[in-house]
Amino acid sequence: MTLTIQLPDAFTRTLPDGATGADLARSIGPRLLEAALAIRTDARLQDLATPLSDGARVAVVTAKDPEALDIIRHSTAHLLAQAVRNLFPAAKVGIGPIIEDGFYYDFLVEPFFTPEDLVAIEAEMRRLVQVAVPVVREELDRDEAIHRFEALGEPLKVELVSAIPEGQVITGYRQGDFYDLCRGPHVPDTGKLKAFKLLYTAAAYWKGDEKNVQLCRIYGTAFLTQKELDEHLQRLEEAKARDHRKLGRELDLFSFHPEAPASPFFHPKGTVIYNELLAYLRSLYARKGYHEVITPQALDVSMWKTSGHYEKYQENMYFTEVDEREYALKPMNCPTHCLIYGTGKHSYRDLPIRYADFGRIHRYERSGVTQGLTRVRTFCQDDGHVYCTPDQMTVEMAAFFDFLREVYRTFGFNDVRVALSTRPEKRLGSDEVWDEAESALAEALREAGMEYHINPGEGAFYGPKIEFQVLDALKRPWQLGTLQVDYSMPARFGLTYVKPDGSEGTPVMLHRAILGSLERFLGIFIEHCAGAFPVWLAPVQAVFLPITDRTHDYARKLQAQALELGLRSELDLRNEKVNAKIRDAQLQKIPYMLVLGDREAADGTVSVRHRKDGDLGVQTVDVFFDRITTEIRQRVL
């Protein structure tokens, strides 16, 4: 008996009964067999050792295919676990998924692995690559799998297997003496894994629950070629140099303290940047028809029950009790804006009404996921809510898209990616309402000519949303802005407006943000510009550097003029050589350094040095002040 296999190029291949994906690759040619990593049968990824069925559509997956990198990284995670078990037999194995840019594997081990251990583990991984250990898939029922992992002394795996419904086929993979639970697929042998690197360790709770045992997580990365790996490692080094936590300390912008976990303290220089961001957004709000409001921090839980947050979001909220009443710190501003809207009567002629709010909000984030400014427990958003009629939605969305593009261009984010996040499992409202809201967002994107992809189930509990991602200087994606359509909350708060025919209608509520959390945006932007802020945002825009004591009075005079113009400047009167002063100003990433010697004092000039462009020569004071104030006014990058 023979098998007829359909190939992607519309050709067929005849193979003997029982032939596998590897046999198919071998029949086409030795080069393909050497390059083969897995197969795709009827759109499903499987191992090369999988037996083929008659009439199946089969493609051999090689490094040229988009799925190849995930297979390599998943297989490398298993290689890591095998190496750990070889070197540290007492270590218990957890889970080892792929993540963006790499993989990790969790281990129950005491003490945690050291950097020296990682070197030894990676060396063992490379030894196993040289041996080319076969990777073999096996199918087990649940009892067999539990017995297998109990015999191996792997309690975490036993726990995972025990949660699998009875009767469901369980797959495991054997690599020499190592055995792991996995759906696969994997490479046929460890010899296919050549370009990888272990990066660092971190603590992680089993299943992400702080009540569970703490594990040692090893992070690593893998690529298809050494060249790609080297380029990635170089980007990581650049990212370390740009890390906003490191730069925040060096530039004296912010700090964190155990007295307020995951809550940033902004120092004077950081506060300058923060306030400049607010001032910039406020200047735009004045042009875009937004009215800024201020709302309370803590509100009675009855309001949060009305909004739906108490039911759908309370695990992320902080609660307190005062005068025998239960309050919650606000995690979002939207319900408070509904209360403001509801204080008056509105006609269709009044709409749209656009509220903006920079109020502080609080959300509980587990300690294991907080990270610098990019994941905090208290923050402020450039939050806005638009109340409009259904007929006004399209125009309002288009105006928001233009608004967002203008802001992103100001910060040099010109590459923007768009996603439409649809209904989550935990949500308010009927399917009909969600259908209408999702269609409205999709139609707005189409009319704006914006390409987008779907994020299934990632919408907010009260409505679907458009998410906007920007790419930073290292080409890393960051999600910033959002636009959400909400039919539920206005109805739950009983909000109305008078229609042209005199009847009452319920307004649509558009939730929108451009920068999102200002704390998070600041962390992202610090890394984007490596702490070298554009002049308009820089905490210190210019520093005066007198060469000798004789020019101190001239320096003081110029700084007074700078202050009159609203420039943020410093005066360096230290008894140091001017080159040392320039070096220190460079380290603080101050945009302009003004060197003042006897000649400059006599001529009424300044010797201008730029942190990036170097020596700009001698200029009159008026020319320099005109230059820097123009850059600030135009928000030049």
Side-chain angles (χ1 to χ4, degrees), residues 238-244 247 473-474 476 526-530:
E238 176 66 16
K240 284 182 185 177
R242 291 171 176 259
D243 189 316
H244 74 276
L247 290 171
L474 298 183
R476 298 173 300 181
I526 288 171
E527 297 192 6
H528 177 62
C529 68

Side-chain angles (χ1 to χ4, degrees), residues 36 89 96 98 123 140 175 205 261 274 286 293 322 373 382 406 420 435 492 550 568 591 604 611:
I98 57 172
L140 307 167
Q175 291 175 210
Y205 291 103
Y274 203 96
V293 297
V322 179
L373 293 179
D382 60 333
E406 179 181 349
L420 174 56
D435 289 341
R492 291 172 75 95
R550 293 187 300 276
R568 297 186 291 272
R611 70 181 169 205

Side-chain angles (χ1 to χ4, degrees), residues 430-450:
S430 66
D431 286 344
E432 291 76 19
V433 166
W434 279 85
D435 289 341
E436 190 172 344
E438 289 170 358
S439 296
L441 288 175
E443 181 61 27
L445 288 171
R446 283 192 292 270
E447 288 196 14
M450 301 174 77

Side-chain angles (χ1 to χ4, degrees), residues 237-270:
E237 286 302 312
E238 176 66 16
K240 284 182 185 177
R242 291 171 176 259
D243 189 316
H244 74 276
R245 293 164 296 186
K246 170 179 175 287
L247 290 171
R249 290 191 300 272
E250 293 174 355
L251 301 179
D252 194 23
L253 302 179
F254 58 85
S255 59
F256 288 88
H257 300 275
E259 291 80 0
S263 302
F265 290 68
F266 283 95
H267 299 194
K269 289 181 179 179

Side-chain angles (χ1 to χ4, degrees), residues 57 65 127 150 156 171 188 258 329 333-334 347 445 454 484 491 566 578 593 612 617 619-620 627:
R57 294 182 174 273
D65 293 283
R127 186 190 71 79
E150 283 177 341
L156 302 179
T171 57
L329 295 180
N333 293 305
C334 33
S347 161
L445 288 171
I454 302 290
Q484 301 159 23
V578 73
M593 291 148 272
K612 179 183 176 184
Q619 300 176 11
T620 66
R627 174 193 180 110

Side-chain angles (χ1 to χ4, degrees), residues 72-176:
I72 288 290
R73 285 176 173 169
H74 200 172
S75 298
T76 308
H78 279 230
L79 177 67
L80 162 61
Q82 182 183 9
V84 166
R85 288 287 283 161
N86 286 355
L87 297 179
F88 302 90
K92 309 302 179 186
V93 180
I95 61 172
I98 57 172
I99 55 175
E100 187 175 1
D101 289 336
F103 59 88
Y104 69 76
Y105 218 116
D106 290 340
F107 301 94
L108 179 57
V109 63
E110 185 66 37
F112 277 14
F113 297 122
T114 66
E116 292 75 20
D117 292 333
L118 291 195
V119 173
I121 293 166
E122 188 174 308
E124 175 65 4
M125 291 169 69
R126 299 197 185 281
R127 186 190 71 79
L128 293 169
V129 168
Q130 293 299 317
V131 176
V133 181
V135 180
V136 182
R137 181 178 183 268
E138 297 179 4
E139 291 188 359
L140 307 167
D141 64 29
R142 194 174 69 163
D143 289 343
E144 287 177 308
I146 290 174
H147 178 73
R148 175 76 57 86
F149 286 112
E150 283 177 341
L152 291 170
E154 294 289 5
L156 302 179
K157 295 294 184 183
V158 171
E159 184 178 335
L160 292 174
V161 173
S162 299
I164 298 173
E166 197 160 353
Q168 183 172 320
V169 174
I170 297 170
T171 57
Y173 281 83
R174 182 180 297 282
Q175 291 175 210

Side-chain angles (χ1 to χ4, degrees), residues 101 231-243 413 417 470-478 524 526-530:
D101 289 336
E231 290 172 350
H232 176 73
L233 295 177
Q234 186 175 348
R235 287 193 297 271
L236 289 181
E237 286 302 312
E238 176 66 16
K240 284 182 185 177
R242 291 171 176 259
D243 189 316
F413 293 127
R417 298 174 180 178
V470 299
L471 296 186
D472 69 8
L474 298 183
K475 304 302 180 186
R476 298 173 300 181
W478 298 93
I524 292 166
I526 288 171
E527 297 192 6
H528 177 62
C529 68

